[in-house]
Amino acid sequence: MKNKIFRFSIFLLLGVFFFTGLNFSAQKEKLFNYDVVIKNASVFEGSLKPAFRADVAVKDGMIVKVERSIKGSAAKVINGKGLYVTPGFIDLHTHVDRGMYFAENRACLNYLKQGVTTVIVGQCGSSAWPIFEKAEDLMKVWSEEGIGPNAALLVGHGTLRQIVMGMEEREPTADELEKMKALVEEAMEQGAYGLSTGLIYEPSSFGKTDEVIELVKIIAPYGGIYHSHVRDERDKLLEAVKEAVEISEKSGAPAHISHFKVMEKRNWGLVKDACAIIEEARARGIKVTADQYPYQFSDGYPYRSPIPRSAWLGIEETEGMERVETERLRSEDSEAIFDHLRDSHLIELYKKVTPYYPVSERLLQFLNEIPRDRLVRLVSRSLISLGDFRGPGNTRERSKFLARMANPEEAQKIREQIKEYIDNVTGPESFVVAICVEKNLEGKSLKHVAAMKGKSIEDTAIELELMGARCVPLRMGEEDIEFIMKKDYVGTGSDGTAPPYGIGLTHIRSYSTFLHKIKKYALKRKSVSVPHVIRSQTSLPAEIMNWNDRGWIKNGYKADIVVLDLNNIKTGTSISNPHAYSEGVKYLLINGEIVLDEGKWTGKLPGKVIKLKK
């Protein structure tokens, strides 16, 4: 009997503890008025107004109070004294979807460290989801497994063409155009935010203006936005900007120009005329905006040879490119290696190298349905990188180049080609050595290195090339960058990626764009004010994307918040070492959850896929 009473007492006590625990958990939230309160901070609300002193309270993922002094308790109190609160930064142009597809990079930590809370992906004509998937597939995975920043997805024009037409350089048939329209509509129905083009990249470049207009017309009724890497960012920039305006005017959708700039020294200054075109269109009621990354060098892989291809290969103007190309390994050659294999064998080879593993049913269906020539091309390009067989590391090409240099007449021609190339691109003072076996040369210009070595610019370029140095040409003018930056319709877009930390060479914009812009152009150069920069990466992007619930520090807005040590921003990236996390963001909140605490990632993935509401 005693044992029964004892056991009953134990069960009773356990039950009391259990229900008390449940009750305590239920009451815990009632003990606090707020989830987070940031005290005594200076607040940049997202407008052009100076910072003001205030407390900011967060509850259930929303900003619920912004007042001089907030009373009440909070589960987390952040001492904001000496710090600045801004809305979370919105990146208008990224390619982070390539990395975030994989779980390892789902946090997108290189962006969180910059204060980025929202990214727009699927840019430059390449859909955010792989060609064999649908928008809803990626949205489902990201929603279920979690992502670091919020993300909005675009459907890519180049991807549409690949699905329907492969890489064919021609106009679509009426039937093919209808198929592309149907794919756009499908993506918009699933929550995509608009259409992107990369009109300098194949196959998007094969599409004419009328084709793009017809596709953009599909997104207009949804309230979608047309994002464009315009057709030319060099000497034909003005024509390219006019095309973007025409597409917007004839389709009825807003046009957004990606990474607005002009490249090559001879074209510097054209941005002033390009801005005049945009402003004339805006005055007529056409919605045209742009974004910009604040660097003088471009491309996801900005490293270039100081010797032009024609000089390295010995291409004569009278001979043209065809003869030389037939002597080098081409894509057709690599495809011929695989062309004799059966489709089943090709698919098995692809399954062994594809990063999209495990292979999904949709991918298998895609592989089995595409035409044979496209399957061969896909497999060959997955297994053989033609770039590995080119340049100073290729003994065949190197020997031929040195043999030509041994001929005084040929050597003179080579030097003349190198000089013309360098002068046209940037000038020797702006062609910078990034990575070199002679470490003392890193960060120095060709002009500086030539003076150090007592050689001509041309001979210095040749020496650097033969030792495998990687150089970065500063293709954009600083005056142009600042001119664009001052425009009130130009937001911030990094054009960056989410690479595995420390792997490969990438553009430093992937790690430092937002804090670099504040530090260099607002604090140091004072080209623009701090509120102007903050607006360009908060409320302005929100306005461009038609978001009325984020981009501001205001009551009723999403609690995407940066707490920034404005006077201690550090961007450790360089062209010699592009992988370095930025410092200065002390706290970062996304949808009300603390993602960075004292600058350290909390391990949380609170980002949401932002779907366009029909």
Side-chain angles (χ1 to χ4, degrees), residues 339-369:
D339 195 36
H340 68 285
L341 299 176
R342 293 178 180 176
D343 288 6
S344 59
H345 194 178
L346 289 170
I347 291 172
E348 286 305 310
L349 282 174
Y350 180 80
K351 286 165 69 174
K352 291 178 180 178
V353 297
T354 179
Y356 304 113
Y357 181 84
V359 176
S360 68
E361 287 301 317
R362 280 204 206 272
L363 175 50
L364 283 176
Q365 181 182 354
F366 172 77
L367 294 173
N368 281 296
E369 289 180 355

Side-chain angles (χ1 to χ4, degrees), residues 30 82 138 197 242 278 309 359 409 411 418 513 518 545 601:
K30 294 182 180 179
L138 188 60
T197 54
K242 287 177 182 177
I278 293 171
R309 189 165 167 231
V359 176
E409 190 175 322
I418 292 172
T513 294
I518 295 171
M545 296 301 296
W601 182 40

Side-chain angles (χ1 to χ4, degrees), residues 502-523:
I503 301 298
L505 292 173
T506 187
H507 197 298
I508 64 176
R509 63 196 182 196
S510 296
Y511 285 88
S512 52
T513 294
F514 290 81
L515 297 187
H516 168 77
K517 186 174 180 179
I518 295 171
K519 184 176 182 179
K520 178 177 179 178
Y521 291 97
L523 298 178

Side-chain angles (χ1 to χ4, degrees), residues 34-55:
Y34 311 105
D35 299 325
V36 180
V37 170
I38 306 165
K39 304 284 290 184
N40 302 313
S42 297
V43 177
F44 288 109
E45 65 176 359
S47 71
L48 293 176
K49 295 178 182 178
F52 57 91
R53 187 61 59 86
D55 295 349

Side-chain angles (χ1 to χ4, degrees), residues 22-38:
L22 285 179
N23 187 56
F24 177 75
S25 297
Q27 294 295 321
K28 186 177 180 181
E29 290 195 10
K30 294 182 180 179
L31 296 176
F32 300 109
N33 303 103
Y34 311 105
D35 299 325
V36 180
V37 170
I38 306 165

Side-chain angles (χ1 to χ4, degrees), residues 45-80:
E45 65 176 359
S47 71
L48 293 176
K49 295 178 182 178
F52 57 91
R53 187 61 59 86
D55 295 349
V56 179
V58 172
K59 181 75 172 177
D60 297 329
M62 307 296 290
I63 297 171
V64 293
K65 273 190 182 180
V66 182
E67 295 180 0
R68 183 63 185 85
S69 180
I70 294 175
K71 306 298 182 183
S73 58
K76 172 75 172 181
V77 177
I78 295 173
N79 182 5

Side-chain angles (χ1 to χ4, degrees), residues 103-154:
E104 176 191 4
N105 289 339
R106 206 63 56 73
C108 205
L109 190 57
N110 54 322
Y111 278 81
L112 299 183
K113 291 276 190 176
Q114 297 180 61
V116 174
T117 57
T118 304
V119 293
I120 293 89
V121 298
Q123 300 283 359
C124 294
S126 180
S127 293
W129 52 98
I131 196 169
F132 46 80
E133 293 188 359
K134 297 183 182 295
E136 63 185 4
D137 294 328
L138 188 60
M139 290 176 178
K140 183 176 185 292
V141 172
W142 283 4
S143 297
E144 290 178 352
E145 297 182 8
I147 50 178
N150 303 305
L153 281 59
L154 302 174

